[in-house]
Amino acid sequence: MKAIVVTKPGDPAVLQWQDVPDPQPGPEDVLIEIVAAGVNRADLLQRQGSYDPPPGSPPYLGLECSGRIVSVGESVTGWSVGDSVCALISGGGYAERVAAPGGQVLPVPEGLDLAAAAALPEAACTVWSNVFMLAGLREGETLLVHGGSSGIGTFAIQLATAFGAKVAVTSSSTAKLERCRQLGAEITINYRDEDFVARIKEATGGRGSDVILDIMGASYLARNIDALAPAGRLANIGMQGGRRAELDLGALMGKRAAILSTSLRTRPAAEKATIVGSVRKHVWPFIADGRIKPVVDRVLPIIDAAQAHRVIEAGQHFGKIVLAVRD
Ligand SMILES: NC(=O)c1ccc[n+]([C@@H]2O[C@H](COP(=O)([O-])OP(=O)(O)OC[C@H]3O[C@@H](n4cnc5c(N)ncnc54)[C@H](OP(=O)(O)O)[C@@H]3O)[C@@H](O)[C@H]2O)c1
């Protein structure tokens, strides 16, 4: 088969569509003929050589895909050859075929095409597992989403709104903030020239945010704790602002607050299967009834993977970019 290969760590030009060995599915896997793959920020880090795939994963980029099942391992139940699916994978989406664990496969929600479905698994599983399963966001609570315009952010806004939470977002421009508002965000904060702590406190009568979905890490740690409500939960999923920071335990204790941090890609297959099962039960119905729509900025042919990375690096996208592998 062909796949996008990182010929050496570096800028987007190192991505090349080349012949590679076919995947070898095991008894727990289904083999998917890929139609489309979602692009994630983690792919940029892997391309640069700073985010290796976990052991046993395909070496190619791509944490999610959609397509049709072409073979089913003997231990897999619930899937058949010919099913249209999307899947959470730990690598190998930028390719013509991938072997995906049967527990990490989801049906294409009714009414969606395969390109749109490829934009769902990573955002749905990350947001559901962190904001709901771990941080326990409840109806009526406030969620602050840093990076509301991201693939993750656009999904988080819609999911939290669907569950009756009040959503605040940060982003870099008025235009992106307006689009976040159209997705359901009630409080929009320009991180370039506004103080998100002051804005959150003002919007919540001084209480703060019950849950924060954070992608910045070190540079926002102190301010995030300041912005939390009593018994607030900070769910950290990214380190775009660095990995090391000093933590004021007194500030955390005083609020009875919690910090949670997870990486979906490195979680064991059994945990991923639990998350995927929970997403299918709790999140998929909102997609099937149209209350949540994947926000796809653009679909590019797979051979233009480098261009997709350039757009993301320049911050020119809103939501997800999808790569089309075949019709
Ligand atoms: N731990 C996990 O399991 C997991 C899983 C998936 C994703 N993630 C992380 O989640 C993040 C989003 O992923 P993605 O693929 O959706 O990325 P993406 O679409 O490239 O989005 C990156 C976002 O960062 C925002 N941003 C940049 N500087 C910011 C700042 N100072 N304050 C607030 N926001 C800022 C950008 O907002 P503007 O465009 O407005 O500048 C943009 O929305 C990444 O950090 C990724 O690594 C983690």
Side-chain angles (χ1 to χ4, degrees):
M1 69 165 183
K2 279 190 162 8
I4 291 285
V5 172
V6 179
T7 49
K8 58 176 187 205
D11 66 22
V14 303
L15 301 179
Q16 300 291 331
W17 185 235
Q18 293 184 350
D19 287 323
V20 300
D22 272 328
Q24 300 295 322
E28 315 272 337
D29 297 331
V30 298
L31 185 64
I32 300 174
E33 191 175 69
I34 296 177
V35 169
V39 179
N40 288 278
R41 183 156 283 265
D43 306 341
L44 281 57
L45 301 177
Q46 185 172 336
R47 187 202 77 221
Q48 289 159 350
S50 52
Y51 191 38
D52 288 339
S57 309
Y60 316 113
L61 306 183
L63 301 177
E64 57 190 342
C65 69
S66 64
R68 286 174 281 270
I69 293 182
V70 289
S71 75
V72 179
E74 60 196 38
S75 310
V76 175
T77 54
W79 298 112
S80 306
V81 170
D83 286 347
S84 285
V85 295
C86 54
L88 179 73
I89 46 184
S90 51
Y94 293 23
E96 289 183 309
R97 282 183 284 286
V98 72
Q104 291 169 218
V105 175
L106 286 152
V108 172
E110 224 167 284
L112 282 196
D113 60 26
L114 281 159
L120 285 172
E122 181 73 12
C125 293
T126 301
V127 173
W128 178 252
S129 61
N130 284 282
V131 175
F132 290 87
M133 293 173 78
L134 280 175
L137 182 71
R138 291 183 292 272
E139 187 181 349
E141 287 193 322
T142 301
L143 170 69
L144 168 60
V145 179
H146 286 304
S149 71
S150 64
I152 293 288
T154 51
F155 197 89
I157 297 167
Q158 296 183 80
L159 187 59
T161 303
F163 274 89
K166 179 172 173 170
V167 179
V169 293
T170 57
S171 186
S172 59
S173 76
T174 311
K176 286 185 177 180
L177 287 168
E178 178 49 35
R179 292 189 68 183
C180 292
R181 194 172 277 283
Q182 287 163 9
L183 292 175
E186 288 178 47
I187 306 155
T188 55
I189 306 166
N190 189 321
Y191 68 74
R192 290 201 195 281
D193 53 25
E194 292 185 283
D195 173 357
F196 73 79
V197 181
R199 285 288 317 280
I200 280 292
K201 288 194 174 165
E202 178 191 87
T204 55
R207 256 189 104 246
S209 191
D210 299 290
V211 176
I212 298 176
L213 182 61
D214 175 55
I215 59 173
M216 297 307 294
S219 63
Y220 275 14
L221 181 64
R223 280 178 284 167
N224 276 335
I225 292 171
D226 202 4
L228 278 180
R233 291 86 74 199
L234 170 60
N236 167 260
I237 58 162
M239 296 178 284
Q240 290 178 210
R243 61 190 298 167
R244 288 177 200 277
E246 201 170 277
L247 172 63
D248 180 349
L249 283 168
L252 202 62
M253 260 182 227
K255 291 188 171 178
R256 307 178 306 285
I259 303 177
L260 308 147
S261 188
T262 64
S263 160
L264 184 60
R265 191 184 199 183
T266 55
R267 289 178 83 153
E271 284 184 28
K272 287 184 189 166
T274 301
I275 292 167
V276 167
S278 187
V279 162
R280 186 170 180 174
K281 182 171 174 201
H282 297 287
V283 179
W284 246 226
F286 289 107
I287 300 170
D289 73 12
R291 269 184 283 176
I292 298 177
K293 294 186 175 66
V295 178
V296 177
D297 179 89
R298 68 193 80 182
V299 180
L300 295 171
I302 186 77
I303 51 166
D304 291 341
Q307 176 60 9
H309 282 212
R310 286 188 195 101
V311 170
I312 292 178
E313 270 166 1
Q316 291 165 339
H317 64 302
F318 183 87
K320 302 277 304 191
I321 297 184
V322 168
L323 298 172
V325 177
R326 55 165 66 76
D327 290 336

